Amino acid sequence: MSAILPPSERLWWKHPLDRLEATWIIIAFIWCMIMFFMMVFWHVYGKQNLATETYKTNPAKFMAQTQAFVDKWTVRTETEQKIPVVAPPEGSDIYLIARLWSWWPILELEKGKTYKLHLTAMDYNHGFSLQPVNMNIQVVPGYEHVIKVTPTESGTFSIVCNEYCGIGHHEMVSRLYVK
Ligand code: CUA
């Protein structure tokens, strides 16, 4: 009998298990368990997988919230596109929009203070990646990701898009200031 022919006995599960086969099944099962518990482990001990809350939203609603935030706390504009730099007070809700191919606005935060970051994409999937701390959040259109952030060091950080989003993907970069 070979593997391409139907088994002569239909009740194949009653056949004795070959030792080699059993060994591989046990190895595969143990490996599955390790991989499964690593997900939980990295969520708790890893520094990159964040516990975010996610809510449904839509571009018009999120844009209105972000515009109100920008109107209230803008301190200056930067770059050729005159992107507003927004310096919100401690504890406030802060907004960041990802779209083809920019991040809007630029945030200026203070070290040791906590903010509630709201993040969405206006069009397609984008990837929020804060460098060099390597903090990554998948940004999905139609959903608002809410993350509590407390900057622990001051400086200028880069925000890059790490989800391929078309011809201008490589230009989808921004910055984040921490005072
Ligand atoms: Cu946005 Cu790549």
Side-chain angles (χ1 to χ4, degrees), residues 101 125-127 161-165 169 172:
W101 287 283
N125 262 288
H126 296 283
C161 178
N162 65 358
E163 182 72 48
Y164 182 71
C165 55
H169 164 69
M172 197 169 161

Side-chain angles (χ1 to χ4, degrees), residues 3 40-41 85 88 96 108 118 163:
V40 183
F41 178 84
V85 179
L96 186 61
E108 187 172 81
H118 299 249
E163 182 72 48

Side-chain angles (χ1 to χ4, degrees), residues 119-131:
L119 194 58
T120 199
M122 286 298 180
D123 33 43
Y124 303 101
N125 262 288
H126 296 283
F128 173 93
S129 184
L130 188 68
Q131 298 297 336

Side-chain angles (χ1 to χ4, degrees):
M1 191 186 81
S2 78
I4 54 167
L5 293 173
S8 52
E9 281 232 40
R10 304 296 291 182
L11 301 174
W12 53 269
W13 61 86
K14 288 190 177 167
H15 286 191
L17 197 58
D18 185 74
R19 206 163 158 193
L20 189 66
E21 196 177 4
T23 310
W24 278 113
I25 289 173
I26 291 164
I27 291 171
F29 180 76
I30 291 170
W31 187 241
C32 281
M33 287 294 109
I34 291 172
M35 297 289 270
F36 178 80
F37 286 106
M38 282 303 271
M39 289 195 296
V40 183
F41 178 84
W42 281 122
H43 180 77
V44 178
Y45 295 100
K47 287 190 174 159
Q48 294 173 27
N49 293 336
L50 308 172
T52 63
E53 295 168 27
T54 305
Y55 304 95
K56 279 215 158 187
T57 187
N58 62 65
K61 185 181 161 201
F62 199 88
M63 187 66 223
Q65 288 168 314
T66 309
Q67 191 64 58
F69 163 72
V70 167
D71 290 345
K72 207 167 177 187
W73 306 113
T74 294
V75 288
R76 62 179 184 279
T77 59
E78 277 185 10
T79 76
E80 277 172 33
Q81 295 86 31
K82 303 233 179 303
I83 300 174
V85 179
V86 188
E90 180 176 16
S92 52
D93 289 281
I94 61 178
Y95 296 83
L96 186 61
I97 287 173
R99 63 184 157 207
L100 301 175
W101 287 283
S102 64
W103 300 93
W104 194 88
I106 294 170
L107 300 168
E108 187 172 81
L109 309 178
E110 280 181 61
K111 185 180 159 181
K113 301 199 168 161
T114 301
Y115 307 84
K116 213 168 164 190
L117 173 66
H118 299 249
L119 194 58
T120 199
M122 286 298 180
D123 33 43
Y124 303 101
N125 262 288
H126 296 283
F128 173 93
S129 184
L130 188 68
Q131 298 297 336
V133 283
N134 199 21
M135 204 176 268
N136 300 286
I137 304 159
Q138 183 81 32
V139 193
V140 183
Y143 292 91
E144 175 179 357
H145 308 280
V146 185
I147 314 106
K148 262 195 183 161
V149 290
T150 310
T152 53
E153 44 185 305
S154 44
T156 303
F157 298 86
S158 303
I159 298 171
V160 300
C161 178
N162 65 358
E163 182 72 48
Y164 182 71
C165 55
I167 197 81
H169 164 69
H170 63 287
E171 288 177 352
M172 197 169 161
V173 292
S174 186
R175 57 195 82 150
L176 176 104
Y177 296 113
V178 178
K179 283 201 290 187

